[in-house]
Amino acid sequence: MTEPAVVPLHDELRAIDAARIWHPYTQHQSAEPRLPIARAVGACLYDHLNNRYLDAISSGWVTLHGHAHPTIASAIAEQAHCFEHVSFAAFTHEPAVRLAEQLATILPAGLTRAFFSDNGSTAVEVALKMALQYWTNRGETRRLIVGLDNAYHGESFGAMAASGRGAYTAPFVEHFFKVVRLPDPAMDGGERTVAKLQRLLERRGKNVAAVIVEPLLMGRAGMRVWEGKTVRAIRQLTKEHGVLLIADEALTAFGRTGPLFASGGAEISPDIICLSKGLTGGFLPLGVTVAREEIHAAFLDDGAGKRFLHGHSYMANPLACAAARASLTLLDEESAGRRAGIEEVHRGKIAELTSHPMVKSPRVLGTLAAFDLAVPDGGAAGREEPSAPSLEEFALKHGVLLRPIGDVVYVLPPYCMSPGDLAEVWSLIGMWLEVRG
Ligand code: PMP
Protein backbone atom coordinates (compact mmCIF):
# COMPACT_ATOMS: atom_id res chain seq x y z
CA MET A 1 0.00 0.00 0.00
CA THR A 2 1.37 3.43 -0.92
CA GLU A 3 1.62 6.08 1.80
CA PRO A 4 -0.77 9.06 1.32
CA ALA A 5 1.11 12.11 0.11
CA VAL A 6 2.07 14.47 2.93
CA VAL A 7 0.47 17.79 2.13
CA PRO A 8 2.22 20.58 3.98
CA LEU A 9 -0.17 22.64 6.07
CA HIS A 10 0.58 25.67 3.90
CA ASP A 11 -0.75 23.97 0.76
CA GLU A 12 -3.63 22.29 2.55
CA LEU A 13 -4.89 25.59 3.94
CA ARG A 14 -4.63 27.26 0.54
CA ALA A 15 -6.59 24.46 -1.10
CA ILE A 16 -9.37 24.46 1.50
CA ASP A 17 -9.51 28.25 1.43
CA ALA A 18 -9.88 28.21 -2.35
CA ALA A 19 -12.77 25.75 -2.07
CA ARG A 20 -14.59 27.19 0.93
CA ILE A 21 -13.90 30.88 1.43
CA TRP A 22 -15.11 34.05 -0.23
CA HIS A 23 -12.53 36.86 0.17
CA PRO A 24 -13.32 40.57 0.07
CA TYR A 25 -13.06 42.50 -3.24
CA THR A 26 -11.76 39.34 -4.92
CA GLN A 27 -12.37 37.95 -8.40
CA HIS A 28 -12.05 34.30 -7.43
CA GLN A 29 -11.98 33.09 -11.01
CA SER A 30 -8.53 34.54 -11.53
CA ALA A 31 -7.19 35.32 -8.06
CA GLU A 32 -4.19 33.47 -6.71
CA PRO A 33 -5.05 31.65 -3.46
CA ARG A 34 -4.29 33.80 -0.42
CA LEU A 35 -1.11 33.26 1.58
CA PRO A 36 -1.83 31.63 4.96
CA ILE A 37 -0.17 33.44 7.85
CA ALA A 38 0.94 31.24 10.73
CA ARG A 39 2.10 33.81 13.28
CA ALA A 40 3.06 37.44 13.62
CA VAL A 41 5.17 39.47 15.98
CA GLY A 42 6.03 43.18 15.97
CA ALA A 43 6.13 44.36 12.35
CA CYS A 44 6.64 40.85 10.94
CA LEU A 45 4.24 38.24 9.62
CA TYR A 46 5.36 34.63 9.06
CA ASP A 47 3.82 31.99 6.83
CA HIS A 48 3.80 28.25 7.52
CA LEU A 49 7.06 27.87 5.59
CA ASN A 50 8.60 30.40 7.99
CA ASN A 51 8.98 33.08 5.35
CA ARG A 52 8.94 36.54 6.91
CA TYR A 53 6.94 39.51 5.57
CA LEU A 54 7.35 43.06 6.82
CA ASP A 55 3.88 44.50 7.37
CA ALA A 56 4.18 47.91 5.69
CA ILE A 57 0.41 48.59 5.73
CA SER A 58 -0.45 47.69 9.34
CA SER A 59 -2.67 44.83 8.14
CA GLY A 60 -5.42 46.95 6.65
CA TRP A 61 -4.53 50.02 8.77
CA VAL A 62 -5.52 48.40 12.08
CA THR A 63 -2.27 47.30 13.76
CA LEU A 64 -0.92 50.18 15.81
CA HIS A 65 1.87 49.10 18.14
CA GLY A 66 2.76 45.81 16.45
CA HIS A 67 1.42 42.30 16.07
CA ALA A 68 0.84 40.07 19.11
CA HIS A 69 1.81 42.87 21.49
CA PRO A 70 2.06 41.15 24.88
CA THR A 71 0.38 43.98 26.83
CA ILE A 72 -2.77 43.80 24.70
CA ALA A 73 -2.69 39.98 24.42
CA SER A 74 -2.55 39.67 28.22
CA ALA A 75 -5.35 42.20 28.75
CA ILE A 76 -7.62 40.22 26.43
CA ALA A 77 -6.70 36.90 28.09
CA GLU A 78 -7.32 38.32 31.55
CA GLN A 79 -10.72 39.67 30.52
CA ALA A 80 -11.61 36.38 28.77
CA HIS A 81 -10.98 34.48 32.01
CA CYS A 82 -13.21 36.96 33.86
CA PHE A 83 -16.14 37.18 31.42
CA GLU A 84 -16.36 37.46 27.66
CA HIS A 85 -19.59 39.28 26.89
CA VAL A 86 -22.85 40.54 28.32
CA SER A 87 -25.75 42.36 26.74
CA PHE A 88 -25.03 46.07 26.75
CA ALA A 89 -28.75 46.76 26.53
CA ALA A 90 -29.18 45.12 29.95
CA PHE A 91 -25.85 45.76 31.71
CA THR A 92 -22.71 47.81 31.82
CA HIS A 93 -19.17 46.69 32.74
CA GLU A 94 -15.81 48.04 33.83
CA PRO A 95 -13.93 47.63 30.51
CA ALA A 96 -16.50 49.79 28.67
CA VAL A 97 -16.92 52.33 31.47
CA ARG A 98 -13.19 52.85 31.92
CA LEU A 99 -12.61 53.00 28.17
CA ALA A 100 -15.32 55.65 27.70
CA GLU A 101 -13.78 57.64 30.53
CA GLN A 102 -10.27 57.33 29.07
CA LEU A 103 -11.46 58.37 25.62
CA ALA A 104 -13.19 61.46 27.01
CA THR A 105 -9.90 62.61 28.49
CA ILE A 106 -7.88 62.28 25.26
CA LEU A 107 -10.45 63.20 22.59
CA PRO A 108 -10.83 66.76 21.27
CA ALA A 109 -12.70 68.94 23.79
CA GLY A 110 -16.39 68.23 24.34
CA LEU A 111 -16.53 64.69 22.92
CA THR A 112 -17.68 62.85 26.00
CA ARG A 113 -20.63 60.56 25.24
CA ALA A 114 -19.62 57.15 23.82
CA PHE A 115 -21.88 54.84 21.80
CA PHE A 116 -20.24 51.49 21.09
CA SER A 117 -20.54 49.32 18.01
CA ASP A 118 -18.20 46.87 16.32
CA ASN A 119 -16.43 48.25 13.23
CA GLY A 120 -15.74 51.39 11.25
CA SER A 121 -18.83 51.17 9.05
CA THR A 122 -21.11 50.75 12.06
CA ALA A 123 -19.40 53.67 13.83
CA VAL A 124 -20.30 55.81 10.79
CA GLU A 125 -23.81 54.34 10.52
CA VAL A 126 -24.39 55.22 14.18
CA ALA A 127 -23.13 58.77 13.62
CA LEU A 128 -25.46 59.31 10.65
CA LYS A 129 -28.50 57.89 12.45
CA MET A 130 -27.61 59.87 15.58
CA ALA A 131 -27.41 63.10 13.56
CA LEU A 132 -30.71 62.45 11.77
CA GLN A 133 -32.59 61.46 14.90
CA TYR A 134 -31.06 64.41 16.78
CA TRP A 135 -32.89 66.82 14.46
CA THR A 136 -36.10 64.77 14.54
CA ASN A 137 -35.99 64.83 18.33
CA ARG A 138 -35.58 68.60 18.21
CA GLY A 139 -38.61 68.89 15.96
CA GLU A 140 -36.65 70.10 12.92
CA THR A 141 -36.90 68.52 9.49
CA ARG A 142 -33.25 68.43 8.56
CA ARG A 143 -32.75 65.52 6.24
CA LEU A 144 -29.68 66.33 4.14
CA ILE A 145 -26.31 64.73 4.71
CA VAL A 146 -23.32 66.44 3.09
CA GLY A 147 -20.22 64.43 2.13
CA LEU A 148 -17.03 64.84 0.16
CA ASP A 149 -16.28 63.60 -3.35
CA ASN A 150 -13.97 60.56 -3.22
CA ALA A 151 -14.64 60.03 0.50
CA TYR A 152 -14.85 56.53 1.95
CA HIS A 153 -16.86 55.78 5.05
CA GLY A 154 -17.49 52.05 4.91
CA GLU A 155 -19.52 49.25 3.39
CA SER A 156 -22.99 49.46 4.93
CA PHE A 157 -25.67 51.37 3.02
CA GLY A 158 -25.56 54.60 5.01
CA ALA A 159 -21.77 54.64 4.96
CA MET A 160 -21.76 53.91 1.22
CA ALA A 161 -24.30 56.66 0.58
CA ALA A 162 -22.09 59.14 2.41
CA SER A 163 -19.01 57.97 0.46
CA GLY A 164 -17.91 59.09 -3.00
CA ARG A 165 -19.21 57.23 -6.04
CA GLY A 166 -17.18 54.63 -7.91
CA ALA A 167 -17.00 51.00 -8.98
CA TYR A 168 -17.48 49.81 -5.40
CA THR A 169 -20.78 51.66 -4.95
CA ALA A 170 -22.15 51.32 -8.52
CA PRO A 171 -24.33 48.18 -8.06
CA PHE A 172 -26.05 49.66 -5.00
CA VAL A 173 -26.35 53.33 -5.85
CA GLU A 174 -30.09 53.46 -6.53
CA HIS A 175 -30.77 52.37 -2.95
CA PHE A 176 -28.86 55.24 -1.35
CA PHE A 177 -30.45 58.19 0.42
CA LYS A 178 -29.65 61.59 -1.04
CA VAL A 179 -26.30 63.06 -0.10
CA VAL A 180 -25.07 66.46 -1.28
CA ARG A 181 -21.47 66.16 -2.32
CA LEU A 182 -18.70 68.75 -2.06
CA PRO A 183 -15.62 68.80 -4.32
CA ASP A 184 -12.66 66.72 -3.11
CA PRO A 185 -10.81 68.98 -0.61
CA ALA A 186 -7.43 67.53 -1.66
CA MET A 187 -7.87 69.46 -4.94
CA ASP A 188 -7.34 73.23 -5.35
CA GLY A 189 -6.28 73.57 -1.74
CA GLY A 190 -9.89 72.91 -0.73
CA GLU A 191 -11.18 76.30 -1.93
CA ARG A 192 -13.98 74.87 -4.08
CA THR A 193 -15.05 72.60 -1.21
CA VAL A 194 -15.43 75.49 1.19
CA ALA A 195 -17.10 77.74 -1.39
CA LYS A 196 -19.71 75.11 -2.26
CA LEU A 197 -20.42 74.36 1.39
CA GLN A 198 -20.86 78.07 2.07
CA ARG A 199 -23.33 78.47 -0.81
CA LEU A 200 -25.22 75.34 0.25
CA LEU A 201 -25.51 76.38 3.88
CA GLU A 202 -26.58 79.90 2.96
CA ARG A 203 -29.34 78.59 0.72
CA ARG A 204 -30.40 75.37 2.43
CA GLY A 205 -28.66 75.35 5.78
CA LYS A 206 -31.92 74.67 7.60
CA ASN A 207 -32.28 71.38 5.68
CA VAL A 208 -28.78 70.10 6.44
CA ALA A 209 -28.44 67.59 9.29
CA ALA A 210 -24.69 66.95 9.14
CA VAL A 211 -21.48 67.22 7.18
CA ILE A 212 -19.22 64.16 7.30
CA VAL A 213 -15.48 64.25 6.56
CA GLU A 214 -12.31 62.19 6.99
CA PRO A 215 -10.19 64.97 8.50
CA LEU A 216 -6.79 65.62 6.87
CA LEU A 217 -6.48 62.22 5.16
CA MET A 218 -8.88 60.48 2.79
CA GLY A 219 -7.65 56.91 2.99
CA ARG A 220 -9.41 54.71 0.47
CA ALA A 221 -9.59 57.60 -2.01
CA GLY A 222 -5.85 57.04 -2.42
CA MET A 223 -4.27 58.45 0.73
CA ARG A 224 -5.24 61.96 -0.27
CA VAL A 225 -3.94 64.53 2.18
CA TRP A 226 -5.84 67.79 2.65
CA GLU A 227 -5.16 70.91 4.57
CA GLY A 228 -5.93 71.79 8.16
CA LYS A 229 -7.16 75.22 7.08
CA THR A 230 -9.89 73.56 4.95
CA VAL A 231 -10.95 71.38 7.89
CA ARG A 232 -11.12 74.53 10.03
CA ALA A 233 -13.14 76.41 7.41
CA ILE A 234 -15.66 73.53 7.28
CA ARG A 235 -15.87 73.49 11.07
CA GLN A 236 -16.40 77.25 11.11
CA LEU A 237 -19.22 77.11 8.55
CA THR A 238 -20.99 74.21 10.26
CA LYS A 239 -20.83 76.10 13.57
CA GLU A 240 -22.18 79.31 12.05
CA HIS A 241 -25.13 77.47 10.51
CA GLY A 242 -25.77 75.15 13.44
CA VAL A 243 -25.07 72.03 11.36
CA LEU A 244 -23.43 68.96 12.92
CA LEU A 245 -19.91 68.01 11.86
CA ILE A 246 -19.05 64.30 11.89
CA ALA A 247 -15.35 63.39 11.80
CA ASP A 248 -14.77 59.86 10.53
CA GLU A 249 -11.44 59.05 12.16
CA ALA A 250 -11.63 55.28 11.63
CA LEU A 251 -8.22 55.53 9.97
CA THR A 252 -6.71 58.75 11.26
CA ALA A 253 -7.13 58.37 15.04
CA PHE A 254 -4.60 57.18 17.61
CA GLY A 255 -1.52 58.84 16.18
CA ARG A 256 -1.71 57.76 12.56
CA THR A 257 -1.32 61.31 11.28
CA GLY A 258 1.10 62.35 14.05
CA PRO A 259 -1.06 63.85 16.82
CA LEU A 260 -3.50 61.53 18.63
CA PHE A 261 -6.44 62.63 16.46
CA ALA A 262 -6.48 64.29 13.05
CA SER A 263 -9.23 66.61 14.30
CA GLY A 264 -6.87 67.77 17.04
CA GLY A 265 -4.09 68.09 14.45
CA ALA A 266 -6.37 70.36 12.42
CA GLU A 267 -7.22 72.28 15.62
CA ILE A 268 -10.91 71.52 15.57
CA SER A 269 -13.34 69.53 17.64
CA PRO A 270 -16.23 67.96 15.70
CA ASP A 271 -19.71 67.29 17.11
CA ILE A 272 -19.41 63.54 16.56
CA ILE A 273 -16.32 61.39 16.00
CA CYS A 274 -16.17 57.83 14.63
CA LEU A 275 -13.40 55.55 15.87
CA SER A 276 -12.49 51.96 15.01
CA LYS A 277 -9.51 50.15 13.36
CA GLY A 278 -6.58 51.10 15.66
CA LEU A 279 -8.91 51.54 18.65
CA THR A 280 -8.01 48.04 19.93
CA GLY A 281 -4.45 48.27 18.60
CA GLY A 282 -5.65 46.03 15.78
CA PHE A 283 -6.55 43.05 17.98
CA LEU A 284 -10.35 42.93 17.93
CA PRO A 285 -13.18 44.61 16.06
CA LEU A 286 -14.67 47.54 17.94
CA GLY A 287 -16.30 50.80 16.94
CA VAL A 288 -17.23 53.78 19.02
CA THR A 289 -19.07 56.94 18.05
CA VAL A 290 -18.48 59.73 20.53
CA ALA A 291 -20.80 62.73 20.65
CA ARG A 292 -21.04 66.02 22.48
CA GLU A 293 -23.21 66.10 25.56
CA GLU A 294 -25.67 68.53 23.86
CA ILE A 295 -26.40 65.89 21.24
CA HIS A 296 -27.07 63.25 23.87
CA ALA A 297 -29.31 65.73 25.70
CA ALA A 298 -31.65 65.87 22.68
CA PHE A 299 -32.39 62.16 23.21
CA LEU A 300 -33.63 62.66 26.78
CA ASP A 301 -37.36 62.67 27.40
CA ASP A 302 -39.95 61.67 29.98
CA GLY A 303 -41.21 58.89 27.74
CA ALA A 304 -39.36 56.38 25.55
CA GLY A 305 -40.02 58.36 22.36
CA LYS A 306 -36.70 60.14 21.95
CA ARG A 307 -34.29 57.36 22.91
CA PHE A 308 -31.68 56.48 20.29
CA LEU A 309 -33.03 53.63 18.20
CA HIS A 310 -29.89 51.63 17.57
CA GLY A 311 -27.90 48.73 19.06
CA HIS A 312 -25.65 45.76 18.22
CA SER A 313 -25.25 42.27 19.70
CA TYR A 314 -21.54 42.75 20.24
CA MET A 315 -21.56 46.38 21.24
CA ALA A 316 -18.95 47.23 23.88
CA ASN A 317 -17.63 43.69 23.82
CA PRO A 318 -15.56 43.44 27.02
CA LEU A 319 -12.62 41.68 25.33
CA ALA A 320 -12.43 44.41 22.68
CA CYS A 321 -12.78 47.13 25.33
CA ALA A 322 -9.99 45.53 27.37
CA ALA A 323 -7.80 45.48 24.25
CA ALA A 324 -8.60 49.14 23.58
CA ARG A 325 -7.75 50.16 27.14
CA ALA A 326 -4.42 48.34 26.91
CA SER A 327 -3.74 49.90 23.53
CA LEU A 328 -4.36 53.39 24.91
CA THR A 329 -1.79 52.82 27.67
CA LEU A 330 0.77 52.12 24.92
CA LEU A 331 0.12 55.47 23.23
CA ASP A 332 2.70 57.11 25.46
CA GLU A 333 5.71 59.37 24.95
CA GLU A 334 7.72 56.48 23.59
CA SER A 335 5.05 55.79 20.96
CA ALA A 336 5.01 59.49 19.99
CA GLY A 337 8.78 59.28 19.57
CA ARG A 338 8.48 56.18 17.38
CA ARG A 339 5.85 57.89 15.22
CA ALA A 340 8.09 60.92 14.82
CA GLY A 341 10.94 58.56 13.87
CA ILE A 342 8.76 56.89 11.21
CA GLU A 343 7.81 60.30 9.79
CA GLU A 344 11.48 61.27 9.61
CA VAL A 345 12.43 58.10 7.70
CA HIS A 346 9.43 58.59 5.37
CA ARG A 347 10.49 62.17 4.60
CA GLY A 348 14.08 61.21 3.90
CA LYS A 349 13.24 58.19 1.75
CA ILE A 350 10.42 59.76 -0.25
CA ALA A 351 12.69 62.73 -0.99
CA GLU A 352 15.16 60.30 -2.58
CA LEU A 353 12.42 59.06 -4.92
CA THR A 354 10.90 62.39 -5.97
CA SER A 355 13.16 62.81 -9.00
CA HIS A 356 11.98 59.47 -10.41
CA PRO A 357 9.77 60.08 -13.45
CA MET A 358 7.12 57.66 -12.17
CA VAL A 359 6.73 59.38 -8.80
CA LYS A 360 4.04 62.08 -8.59
CA SER A 361 2.66 64.05 -5.65
CA PRO A 362 4.81 62.58 -2.87
CA ARG A 363 3.22 63.25 0.53
CA VAL A 364 3.88 62.46 4.17
CA LEU A 365 1.49 62.89 7.08
CA GLY A 366 2.65 61.38 10.35
CA THR A 367 3.13 57.65 9.88
CA LEU A 368 1.72 57.73 6.33
CA ALA A 369 3.78 58.28 3.22
CA ALA A 370 2.36 57.98 -0.30
CA PHE A 371 2.89 58.94 -3.91
CA ASP A 372 0.93 58.55 -7.13
CA LEU A 373 2.42 56.49 -9.91
CA ALA A 374 2.75 58.38 -13.16
CA VAL A 375 1.41 55.69 -15.49
CA PRO A 376 1.37 55.93 -19.30
CA ASP A 377 -2.38 56.62 -19.58
CA GLY A 378 -2.12 59.45 -17.10
CA GLY A 379 -3.45 57.41 -14.20
CA ALA A 380 -5.80 58.74 -11.57
CA ALA A 381 -5.47 58.83 -7.83
CA GLY A 382 -7.99 56.53 -6.27
CA ARG A 383 -8.69 54.68 -9.47
CA GLU A 384 -10.05 51.37 -8.37
CA GLU A 385 -8.41 48.95 -10.80
CA PRO A 386 -4.77 48.85 -9.83
CA SER A 387 -2.22 49.58 -12.49
CA ALA A 388 0.45 48.61 -10.02
CA PRO A 389 -0.54 45.08 -9.06
CA SER A 390 2.95 43.93 -9.78
CA LEU A 391 4.32 45.99 -6.89
CA GLU A 392 2.25 43.91 -4.49
CA GLU A 393 3.57 40.66 -5.98
CA PHE A 394 7.12 41.96 -6.25
CA ALA A 395 7.07 43.16 -2.64
CA LEU A 396 5.61 39.90 -1.31
CA LYS A 397 8.31 37.90 -3.12
CA HIS A 398 10.86 40.10 -1.41
CA GLY A 399 9.25 39.73 2.01
CA VAL A 400 7.23 42.95 2.28
CA LEU A 401 3.45 43.42 2.48
CA LEU A 402 2.35 46.40 0.36
CA ARG A 403 -1.02 46.94 -1.30
CA PRO A 404 -1.22 49.96 -3.59
CA ILE A 405 -4.63 51.60 -3.97
CA GLY A 406 -5.09 51.98 -7.70
CA ASP A 407 -2.06 53.97 -8.82
CA VAL A 408 -1.25 55.10 -5.32
CA VAL A 409 1.70 53.55 -3.52
CA TYR A 410 1.68 54.05 0.23
CA VAL A 411 3.51 52.92 3.34
CA LEU A 412 1.69 52.93 6.70
CA PRO A 413 3.67 50.79 9.14
CA PRO A 414 2.87 49.73 12.70
CA TYR A 415 4.57 52.06 15.17
CA CYS A 416 7.07 49.37 16.23
CA MET A 417 8.67 49.14 12.78
CA SER A 418 12.39 49.89 13.17
CA PRO A 419 14.04 52.58 11.03
CA GLY A 420 16.11 49.79 9.42
CA ASP A 421 13.05 47.75 8.45
CA LEU A 422 11.28 50.85 7.19
CA ALA A 423 14.31 51.74 5.08
CA GLU A 424 14.16 48.19 3.67
CA VAL A 425 10.53 48.78 2.62
CA TRP A 426 11.52 52.00 0.84
CA SER A 427 14.52 50.50 -0.91
CA LEU A 428 12.27 47.74 -2.20
CA ILE A 429 9.87 50.34 -3.62
CA GLY A 430 12.90 52.05 -5.21
CA MET A 431 14.02 48.73 -6.69
CA TRP A 432 10.59 48.09 -8.14
CA LEU A 433 10.51 51.57 -9.71
CA GLU A 434 13.86 50.83 -11.34
CA VAL A 435 12.71 47.43 -12.63
CA ARG A 436 9.47 48.93 -13.95
CA GLY A 437 10.73 52.28 -15.13
N1 PMP B 1 -14.19 54.97 7.56
C1 PMP B 1 -12.94 55.08 7.09
C2 PMP B 1 -12.30 56.42 6.99
C3 PMP B 1 -12.23 53.93 6.70
O1 PMP B 1 -11.00 54.04 6.22
C4 PMP B 1 -12.88 52.67 6.84
C5 PMP B 1 -12.18 51.38 6.44
N2 PMP B 1 -11.18 51.44 5.53
C6 PMP B 1 -14.17 52.62 7.33
C7 PMP B 1 -14.81 53.79 7.69
C8 PMP B 1 -14.91 51.32 7.47
O2 PMP B 1 -14.36 50.56 8.48
P1 PMP B 1 -14.64 48.98 8.54
O3 PMP B 1 -13.84 48.38 7.41
O4 PMP B 1 -14.14 48.58 9.89
O5 PMP B 1 -16.10 48.78 8.38
Side-chain angles (χ1 to χ4, degrees):
M1 215 170 71
T2 53
E3 290 284 312
V6 178
V7 183
L9 185 54
H10 177 86
D11 292 341
E12 184 192 345
L13 293 175
R14 288 185 114 187
I16 299 173
D17 178 284
R20 292 276 174 248
I21 294 182
W22 198 336
H23 284 270
Y25 316 116
T26 301
Q27 177 43 264
H28 278 280
Q29 187 161 307
S30 49
E32 286 287 314
R34 292 289 185 279
L35 186 67
I37 292 300
R39 64 197 173 86
V41 60
C44 299
L45 312 172
Y46 296 88
D47 65 18
H48 287 275
L49 309 173
N50 218 24
N51 294 311
R52 183 200 79 152
Y53 307 92
L54 276 176
D55 184 353
I57 57 163
S58 298
S59 283
W61 319 344
V62 300
T63 308
L64 275 200
H65 315 286
H67 292 279
H69 196 293
T71 305
I72 304 179
S74 304
I76 295 170
E78 202 178 307
Q79 182 58 44
H81 285 294
C82 184
F83 72 96
E84 76 308 328
H85 192 68
V86 290
S87 163
F88 212 59
F91 300 105
T92 191
H93 49 73
E94 186 169 11
V97 170
R98 300 264 182 243
L99 174 58
E101 197 175 40
Q102 251 173 311
L103 285 172
T105 62
I106 59 168
L107 277 165
L111 294 166
T112 49
R113 187 62 72 158
F115 191 97
F116 288 99
S117 62
D118 44 30
N119 62 68
S121 306
T122 54
V124 167
E125 214 64 44
V126 166
L128 294 171
K129 286 178 72 174
M130 199 180 260
L132 291 169
Q133 198 185 329
Y134 167 79
W135 292 112
T136 306
N137 284 0
R138 290 182 45 146
E140 292 194 39
T141 48
R142 291 181 180 237
R143 288 285 161 264
L144 274 183
I145 299 290
V146 178
L148 302 177
D149 272 345
N150 292 331
Y152 178 82
H153 296 294
E155 304 287 10
S156 49
F157 270 84
M160 274 197 295
S163 300
R165 300 287 171 262
Y168 286 99
T169 49
F172 316 108
V173 78
E174 71 203 49
H175 301 283
F176 296 167
F177 54 79
K178 186 168 158 46
V179 172
V180 178
R181 212 156 289 290
L182 306 177
D184 182 335
M187 287 173 181
D188 312 322
E191 278 170 28
R192 286 172 55 235
T193 319
V194 175
K196 182 164 175 192
L197 180 62
Q198 183 158 10
R199 280 198 308 277
L200 175 76
L201 293 181
E202 276 163 8
R203 275 191 283 129
R204 301 171 69 190
K206 289 270 174 278
N207 302 122
V208 178
V211 178
I212 181 166
V213 302
E214 294 162 83
L216 296 183
L217 176 65
M218 299 167 75
R220 267 279 283 278
M223 297 298 172
R224 295 169 71 70
V225 176
W226 54 299
E227 293 181 33
K229 75 170 168 43
T230 312
V231 181
R232 285 191 290 281
I234 293 175
R235 170 73 285 196
Q236 186 56 31
L237 283 169
T238 51
K239 253 192 191 157
E240 278 166 20
H241 292 266
V243 164
L244 300 181
L245 178 64
I246 302 171
D248 176 0
E249 291 222 29
L251 163 61
T252 51
F254 307 114
R256 271 289 163 214
T257 67
L260 269 190
F261 298 95
S263 299
E267 295 164 24
I268 65 133
S269 180
D271 297 298
I272 302 177
I273 195 166
C274 308
L275 306 172
S276 187
K277 288 191 186 283
L279 174 58
T280 62
F283 274 66
L284 286 166
L286 183 66
V288 61
T289 307
V290 188
R292 291 183 178 278
E293 217 47 50
E294 306 91 89
I295 296 176
H296 180 252
F299 290 75
L300 303 177
D301 192 24
D302 292 337
K306 290 187 173 175
R307 73 215 151 103
F308 187 32
L309 299 168
H310 194 93
H312 293 279
S313 311
Y314 275 101
M315 70 186 289
N317 174 256
L319 306 178
C321 291
R325 290 187 64 206
S327 176
L328 291 184
T329 66
L330 297 172
L331 281 172
D332 54 9
E333 292 278 303
E334 194 196 327
S335 164
R338 284 175 178 278
R339 301 199 302 272
I342 288 172
E343 180 162 356
E344 199 182 314
V345 175
H346 278 336
R347 289 197 186 278
K349 293 293 169 187
I350 214 161
E352 288 170 20
L353 294 181
T354 44
S355 59
H356 195 284
M358 283 175 68
V359 174
K360 272 199 319 188
S361 310
R363 47 205 183 265
V364 175
L365 183 67
T367 65
L368 163 89
F371 61 87
D372 298 352
L373 271 178
V375 289
D377 64 359
R383 199 170 66 175
E384 279 140 356
E385 289 316 312
S387 74
S390 63
L391 173 57
E392 187 176 340
E393 280 165 37
F394 179 88
L396 211 55
K397 274 195 197 114
H398 288 82
V400 173
L401 175 64
L402 281 171
R403 280 176 69 82
I405 306 168
D407 299 327
V408 178
V409 176
Y410 73 92
V411 182
L412 187 77
Y415 304 159
C416 67
M417 190 178 275
S418 70
D421 283 348
L422 188 55
E424 188 184 323
V425 172
W426 280 109
S427 60
L428 192 92
I429 294 172
M431 255 164 70
W432 179 79
L433 286 170
E434 289 316 313
V435 173
R436 239 195 89 128

